């Protein structure tokens, strides 16, 4: 009886290389080790990552979890063959969401999916994830690498991240006492962070510039500047929360900008009055707005426009909180104040204009 086709097929024939996966695990072990902290000191390779809350110093903690991805910023990483910083973005997008609730990030897990596994590329990505974990004080305790031929073409890959943090019971943000006259502080962003990149890529295509062309808005190539990693605000914010006891609310300015993110932490009877004149938008935003003909309102609901995080504080404590954050390396400015919200009105209102 004859058989057509090939006998003795292997997983490798189907496009999945187990040896490459094992090699990547060996390459990333030193990076994973570099993120150890009280509560997490195990090796990767088990079926699950362990974390000891008591060893981390908590007595009655509430856990806070967040997950996110990097979005189409990954396409620039792939097109420019620059993979060492997207892991920082991955961690930042998760841990910045934890700290706004007053939580200390404790541990992180990643998911990396690709069509064809390149252990060196994978190790560069995980090195970035480990760097982000060190910046935010959380341990990288596990992850998943999935080689999926037929799902991802060419050099395409995707990343997802999952972070868990904790706060002592009764210390979560936002606090319940936000009131009229409270001051809104802005913390400067490092650039575009990790939102709006589908529009960024469309504008770059319109400009006709190559990724390795000199950037029209700063020193370095277009890819280098657009790949600037998302700023991680965790350690300065946790220090300011604990030292001053005066931060009532925080909002991470991600996709949706001010109008979508600030109202998420406000009571329904208050609105954030934002003074757009106070914002010194980095040159990248001016270039994007002018090259793409993007209106100011569209910029404000797509990008952070130079403000990566906001803090709501009592007016009499604004100077103290700003000083605590500046001492930790943040650029802080008065962005606005809390005002009464008319019935049916939006939670974010503007005065002045954005200098683009």
């Amino acid at each position: 009886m004859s058989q057509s086709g090939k006998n003795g097929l292997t997983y490798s024939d189907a496009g999945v290389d187990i040896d490459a996966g094992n090699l990547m695990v060996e390459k990333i072990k030193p990076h994973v080790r570099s993120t150890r902290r009280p509560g997490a000191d195990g090796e990767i390779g088990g079926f699950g990552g362990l974390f000891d809350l008591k060893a981390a110093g908590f007595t009655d903690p509430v856990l806070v979890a967040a997950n996110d991805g990097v979005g189409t910023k990954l396409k620039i990483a792939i097109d420019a063959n620059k993979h060492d910083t997207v892991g920082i973005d991955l961690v930042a997008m998760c841990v910045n969401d934890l700290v706004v609730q007053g939580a200390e990030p404790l541990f992180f897990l990643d998911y990396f999916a690709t069509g064809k596994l390149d252990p060196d590329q994978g190790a560069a990505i995980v090195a970035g994830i480990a760097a982000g974990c060190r910046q935010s004080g959380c341990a990288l305790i596990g992850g998943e690498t999935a080689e999926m031929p037929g799902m991802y073409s060419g050099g395409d890959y995707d990343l997802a991240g999952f972070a868990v943090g904790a706060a002592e019971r009764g210390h979560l943000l936002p606090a319940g006492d936000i009131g009229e006259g409270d001051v809104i502080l802005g913390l400067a962003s490092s650039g575009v962070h990790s939102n709006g990149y589908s529009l960024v890529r469309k504008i770059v295509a319109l400009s006709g510039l190559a990724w390795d062309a000199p950037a029209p808005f700063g020193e370095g190539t277009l890819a280098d500047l657009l790949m600037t990693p998302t700023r991680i605000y965790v350690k300065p914010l946790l220090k300011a929360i604990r030292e001053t006891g005066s931060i009532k609310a925080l909002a991470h300015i991600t996709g949706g900008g001010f109008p979508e993110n600030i109202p998420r932490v406000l009571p329904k009877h208050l609105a954030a009055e934002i003074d757009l004149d106070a914002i010194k938008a980095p040159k990248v935003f001016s270039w994007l707005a002018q090259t793409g003909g993007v209106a100011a309102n569209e910029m404000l609901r797509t990008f952070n426009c130079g403000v990566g995080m906001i803090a709501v504080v009592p007016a009499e404590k604004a100077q103290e909180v700003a000083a605590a954050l500046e001492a930790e390396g943040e650029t802080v400015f008065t962005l606005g104040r809390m005002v009464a919200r008319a019935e049916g009105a939006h939670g974010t209102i503007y005065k002045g204009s954005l200098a683009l």
Side-chain angles (χ1 to χ4, degrees):
M1 184 168 149
S2 67
Q3 285 184 312
S4 59
K6 183 178 175 183
N7 290 322
L9 280 172
T10 65
Y11 209 8
S12 182
D13 292 326
V16 178
D17 188 345
I18 292 171
D19 293 333
N22 291 336
L23 177 58
M24 181 178 148
V25 169
E26 289 309 309
K27 283 178 177 286
I28 67 175
K29 277 184 177 177
H31 300 303
V32 173
R33 242 174 252 129
S34 74
T35 70
R36 283 177 170 172
R37 53 151 293 153
D41 58 6
E43 283 279 357
I44 55 167
F47 284 97
L50 304 178
F51 193 90
D52 183 344
L53 278 167
K54 189 171 278 189
F58 288 90
T59 52
D60 186 19
V62 176
L63 294 178
V64 184
N67 71 302
D68 212 333
V70 181
T72 56
K73 189 173 188 175
L74 288 180
K75 283 297 287 180
I76 302 178
I78 292 160
D79 292 345
N81 194 28
K82 182 176 165 58
H83 309 284
D84 56 337
T85 59
V86 287
I88 299 174
D89 289 295
L90 184 68
V91 176
M93 297 305 290
C94 296
V95 296
N96 284 340
D97 278 358
L98 294 184
V99 76
V100 298
Q101 293 177 93
E104 175 188 337
L106 301 176
F107 60 86
F108 192 86
L109 301 103
D110 69 276
Y111 174 78
F112 167 48
T114 183
K116 179 69 181 165
L117 181 61
D118 173 344
D120 289 327
Q121 181 199 64
I125 291 165
V126 175
I129 294 171
C133 286
R134 291 192 301 274
Q135 284 180 36
S136 54
C138 68
L140 179 57
I141 66 168
E144 166 70 0
T145 301
E147 191 174 25
M148 301 198 288
M151 284 288 285
Y152 296 89
S153 61
D156 285 351
Y157 64 86
D158 200 7
L159 293 174
F162 310 85
V164 173
E168 292 292 356
R169 195 175 304 277
H171 289 252
L172 289 167
L173 297 178
D177 60 347
I178 302 171
E180 275 185 69
D182 282 345
V183 167
I184 301 165
L185 298 176
L187 280 69
S189 68
S190 56
V192 186
H193 283 187
S194 197
N195 297 103
Y197 274 83
S198 295
L199 180 55
V200 169
R201 288 169 48 248
K202 199 168 180 65
I203 292 168
V204 170
L206 277 174
S207 77
L209 291 173
W211 293 119
D212 58 359
F217 46 83
E219 296 293 318
T221 68
L222 188 61
D224 284 344
L225 268 65
L226 289 174
M227 290 295 296
T228 302
T230 305
R231 189 165 183 84
I232 293 177
Y233 299 96
V234 170
K235 288 182 178 178
L237 284 173
L238 286 176
K239 202 159 191 287
I241 288 167
R242 290 163 182 169
E243 280 184 1
T244 70
S246 298
I247 294 179
K248 294 185 176 186
L250 296 164
H252 184 199
I253 308 304
T254 56
F258 295 146
E260 297 298 325
N261 289 292
I262 297 177
R264 294 165 71 177
V265 298
L266 302 183
K268 299 295 181 201
H269 68 284
L270 293 175
E273 182 185 79
I274 302 295
D275 178 11
L276 297 177
D277 292 325
I279 301 170
K280 292 181 174 63
K283 289 177 183 174
V284 60
F285 295 108
S286 301
W287 182 79
L288 288 167
Q290 289 163 16
T291 308
V294 185
N297 269 1
E298 186 65 18
M299 291 293 294
L300 286 164
R301 64 191 293 264
T302 306
F303 301 114
N304 67 62
C305 293
V307 185
M309 182 75 69
I310 65 107
V312 179
V313 300
E316 68 276 12
K317 295 285 189 179
Q319 206 169 338
E320 182 191 351
V321 174
L325 290 167
E326 285 165 352
E328 295 302 306
E330 297 302 329
T331 301
V332 186
F333 46 92
T334 301
L335 182 62
R337 63 193 182 103
M338 301 309 305
V339 297
R341 189 192 316 194
E343 197 172 333
H346 198 275
T348 308
I349 54 178
Y350 303 123
K351 67 176 192 178
S353 59
L354 187 64
L356 291 171

